[in-house]
Amino acid sequence: MKAIALQRYLPPELPESLFDTDLPMPSPGPHDILVRVEATAINPLDNRVRRPKDKVEEQPRVLGWDASGVVLSAGAAVTRFRPGDSVYYAGELGRQGSFAEFQLVDERLAARKPESLNHAEAAALPLTALTAWSALFARMKVPRDPAANAGKRILIIGAAGGVGSMAVQFAARVAGLEVIATASRPASADWVLALGASHVIDHRKDIPAQMAQAGFRYADYVLILSDTDTYYPAAVQAVAPEGTIGTVVEATKPIDWAALWDKSATLVWEMVFTRNEYTPERSHLIGEMLAEVAAQVDAGLVRSTMTEHVTPLNAGTLRAALQRMAEGRSIGKTVLSGFAP
Ligand SMILES: NC(=O)c1ccc[n+]([C@@H]2O[C@H](COP(=O)([O-])OP(=O)(O)OC[C@H]3O[C@@H](n4cnc5c(N)ncnc54)[C@H](OP(=O)(O)O)[C@@H]3O)[C@@H](O)[C@H]2O)c1
């Protein structure tokens, strides 16, 4: 099968850092489905994992944590899917990824693709949807019931990227929260307003001061989707007494935990692979979340966040797309499909 892989972790501008290759067709273990990948998408995680280091992989390693495709065959213990089903999923950190014609995934991590989306539109969603859904509803414990959220608001920092584009929709359209989104450019501001934000402020300026100017003293929830080291102090100022701050970005410095004392506020982390890495017996929760997201999409509450569709898919087009994403100016998601013959 055709795939795009790395073997050495080379500077990303070098053509050899990601190369086109042919790999043997994988065969499913008991819980696996074998999927023909119809479309994939890129994430900052791809750039993070391929950062230069001395390690050399024994076999070519395939990255990619977003896929939409069709089930070709299934392992003996698979109960939820059959050949011909259309599925979407993010997959696992430690297995071969979605930048390939075919991929194995544990059935518990996948769900049926939203029926109202084509494969490219669906491939934009899985990793970012899981991150945003889990951050809001599992970790920050935002009620899913809009009636319970009447009069409540959330501040989402870094709202126009892949994760933010899902978080804004889930917060506004599923939970019924008033969403204050941060965006620093006219195009990213327009995008978050179109997804359901009520107000936009600029993360490159003083966030609490802009909130005060707009008439908001506090936000019940604050979700950080960019540098935690930078935005934690603003989040502490912005969060309401007894409110909750969530972040999906690791801190590189010690967090000032004591700063939350005065407001009796809570800080929670979201790392999307925690469940299947540490508690594989709970992996089914991942597939269930994706099924819930698909239901929200098919109900018309949530839309695909695809803003760019690159074709064909090869090492050159993938490297270029990853390079553009590294500039930190992506709006929504970049999807790739169609291996060149
Ligand atoms: N914990 C997890 O499991 C998990 C999962 C997925 C992603 N993540 C992490 O979450 C972060 C966001 O991921 P993503 O996929 O949404 O990334 P992305 O799509 O690359 O985000 C791009 C957006 O970031 C905004 N941005 C750029 N610089 C910023 C800054 N200094 N402050 C605030 N916003 C800024 C930009 O908005 P403007 O153009 O308006 O400035 C742009 O729209 C990344 O760090 C990623 O590694 C974590």
Side-chain angles (χ1 to χ4, degrees), residues 150-337:
K152 301 248 171 151
R153 75 175 67 99
I154 185 169
L155 167 66
I156 301 180
I157 300 176
V163 182
S165 301
M166 296 312 296
V168 168
Q169 296 189 80
F170 294 155
R173 300 197 168 139
V174 178
L177 290 167
E178 180 180 32
V179 176
I180 306 169
T182 80
S184 72
R185 293 174 294 143
S188 49
D190 288 348
W191 171 250
V192 296
L193 287 169
L195 293 177
S198 315
H199 313 274
V200 183
I201 59 179
D202 184 348
H203 42 245
R204 304 204 190 271
K205 299 183 182 151
D206 184 327
I207 290 175
Q210 291 173 86
M211 280 180 61
Q213 240 168 22
F216 305 117
R217 189 157 182 217
Y218 297 123
D220 303 277
Y221 302 96
V222 179
L223 179 55
I224 302 174
L225 304 177
S226 184
D227 181 22
T228 298
D229 296 331
T230 302
Y231 291 110
Y232 179 70
V236 171
Q237 278 190 60
V239 75
E242 298 183 59
T244 302
I245 300 171
T247 178
V248 308
V249 179
E250 70 179 319
T252 63
K253 297 183 199 149
I255 289 279
D256 182 5
W257 177 246
L260 299 172
W261 155 257
D262 207 32
K263 286 183 175 167
S264 302
T266 302
L267 170 67
V268 297
W269 301 93
E270 163 63 24
M271 212 300 270
V272 72
F273 294 111
T274 299
R275 265 182 218 93
N276 53 321
E277 291 279 306
Y278 285 89
T279 52
E281 68 281 5
R282 294 166 73 229
S283 294
H284 61 280
L285 297 175
I286 304 281
E288 287 169 19
M289 267 189 244
L290 284 174
E292 292 208 57
V293 171
Q296 302 295 333
V297 172
D298 288 336
L301 286 175
V302 173
R303 53 171 275 193
S304 171
T305 52
M306 180 176 77
T307 47
E308 185 186 22
H309 185 178
V310 174
T311 184
L313 168 56
N314 58 42
T317 58
L318 178 60
R319 274 198 313 272
L322 289 170
Q323 192 60 37
R324 288 196 296 281
M325 187 177 58
E327 290 161 17
R329 293 163 60 89
S330 307
I331 292 177
K333 295 284 294 180
T334 296
V335 170
L336 299 97
S337 69

